Amino acid sequence: MSVRCQESPVLAGSATLAVLGALVVCLAEPAGYGKYTESRMPVATRLSARAAWFLQELPSFAVPAGILAGQPRSLFGQPATVLLGLFCAHYFHRTFVYSLLTRGRPFPVVFLFRGFVFCMGNGLLQGYYLVYCAEYPADWYTDIRFSLGVFLFILGMGINIHSDYILRQLRKPGEIIYRIPQGGLFTYVSGANFLGEIIEWIGYALATWSLPALAFAFFSLCFLGLRAFHHHRFYLKMFEDYPKSRKALIPVIF
């Protein structure tokens, strides 16, 4: 039995993402994980960074991948499935590569639970829309929105992965200390990894030309942009020799 597109849940999910992004900016507080983890938080309420990132990111890969796996082979190669494949590729890396390599602090279980629910909902929203609602013309692959969007997505993912690599090299296994990141886009901004991911999702929104992807890009800009701002402020307070010309998120500008 074929599944028909229901527009109301798509609109509701997209609106929820947009509202969450706006709330993040209004509250102006960084999420309490990583360097912002409360030191007084009981050890029993935390999980290792590797296990936490794996569990948190898994739904963003498993849910849309499951939706894709249930589609007839005749749909594969069409724009919607290719675009959803890009989404899955990002979260395959986050789930099975990044999580196993990270050297971050123990992760509060409460933030793991919130992240898990968010990733579950967003994975379902993006997958459901692209498979059951999106309609693209036969020449979408030659459309400038698709071409530019995929280029930005790949560029952003490359920046994100390279920046994460630079951050990992700042610590030896088992260390929980902070050093000034150098190289790559860290030469210009404190949140190079965040900038890469924001570029990714802007590209994804352009390539899919969809409301759910636009709402997710907006949320990512708000959440990661605020985190970059707090990281920048953290570095300036911690290191007297922190580069004064370095910005928080956007080279030269912010």
Side-chain angles (χ1 to χ4, degrees), residues 42-115:
V43 175
T45 63
R46 305 184 216 174
L47 203 61
S48 73
R50 292 182 176 182
W53 279 108
F54 174 81
L55 292 173
Q56 175 181 283
E57 304 291 273
L58 182 60
S60 285
F61 170 75
V63 172
I67 293 174
L68 273 178
Q71 302 311 304
R73 290 189 177 183
S74 60
L75 292 181
F76 285 81
Q78 294 187 11
T81 54
V82 169
L83 290 165
L84 188 55
L86 290 178
F87 184 89
C88 291
H90 170 88
Y91 281 106
F92 177 89
H93 175 266
R94 296 293 292 182
T95 303
F96 298 105
V97 179
Y98 172 82
S99 67
L100 298 181
L101 296 175
T102 186
R103 296 174 182 173
R105 288 174 173 269
F107 205 97
V109 172
V110 63
F111 288 101
L112 164 62
F113 177 75
R114 292 178 188 175

Side-chain angles (χ1 to χ4, degrees), residues 20-242:
L20 286 175
L23 283 175
V24 165
V25 174
C26 290
L27 294 174
E29 291 293 331
Y33 63 90
K35 55 175 59 71
Y36 310 107
T37 302
E38 283 285 347
S39 59
R40 293 168 294 180
M41 185 174 291
V43 175
T45 63
R46 305 184 216 174
L47 203 61
S48 73
R50 292 182 176 182
W53 279 108
F54 174 81
L55 292 173
Q56 175 181 283
E57 304 291 273
L58 182 60
S60 285
F61 170 75
V63 172
I67 293 174
L68 273 178
Q71 302 311 304
R73 290 189 177 183
S74 60
L75 292 181
F76 285 81
Q78 294 187 11
T81 54
V82 169
L83 290 165
L84 188 55
L86 290 178
F87 184 89
C88 291
H90 170 88
Y91 281 106
F92 177 89
H93 175 266
R94 296 293 292 182
T95 303
F96 298 105
V97 179
Y98 172 82
S99 67
L100 298 181
L101 296 175
T102 186
R103 296 174 182 173
R105 288 174 173 269
F107 205 97
V109 172
V110 63
F111 288 101
L112 164 62
F113 177 75
R114 292 178 188 175
F116 181 90
V117 172
F118 177 88
C119 288
M120 177 78 75
N122 188 51
L124 179 60
L125 174 64
Q126 306 300 331
Y128 177 85
Y129 175 81
L130 283 174
V131 170
Y132 300 115
C133 301
E135 296 181 2
Y136 296 101
D139 62 350
W140 188 248
Y141 286 134
T142 60
D143 191 291
I144 185 62
R145 289 168 291 183
F146 178 85
S147 302
L148 180 57
V150 171
F151 170 77
L152 290 174
F153 182 90
I154 294 172
L155 174 65
M157 190 169 182
I159 292 170
N160 181 247
I161 292 173
H162 181 248
S163 300
D164 284 339
Y165 170 79
I166 291 174
L167 291 174
R168 281 198 304 273
Q169 302 314 301
L170 298 177
R171 290 176 177 169
K172 297 176 182 178
E175 281 188 336
I176 303 180
I177 61 174
Y178 295 100
R179 298 184 176 96
I180 299 175
Q182 304 285 357
L185 277 181
F186 283 113
T187 304
Y188 308 102
V189 295
S190 299
N193 51 331
F194 303 129
L195 175 60
E197 190 163 350
I198 290 169
I199 291 172
E200 254 188 285
W201 297 125
I202 289 175
Y204 186 73
L206 185 59
T208 61
W209 205 247
S210 70
L211 182 61
L214 176 62
F216 182 43
F218 174 75
F219 172 84
S220 299
L221 175 62
C222 295
F223 184 84
L224 298 177
L226 181 66
R227 200 156 182 86
F229 169 77
H230 283 288
H231 272 38
H232 186 65
R233 191 166 65 174
F234 173 88
Y235 286 133
L236 287 172
K237 289 181 179 179
M238 174 163 279
F239 302 106
E240 292 184 0
D241 59 340
Y242 195 73

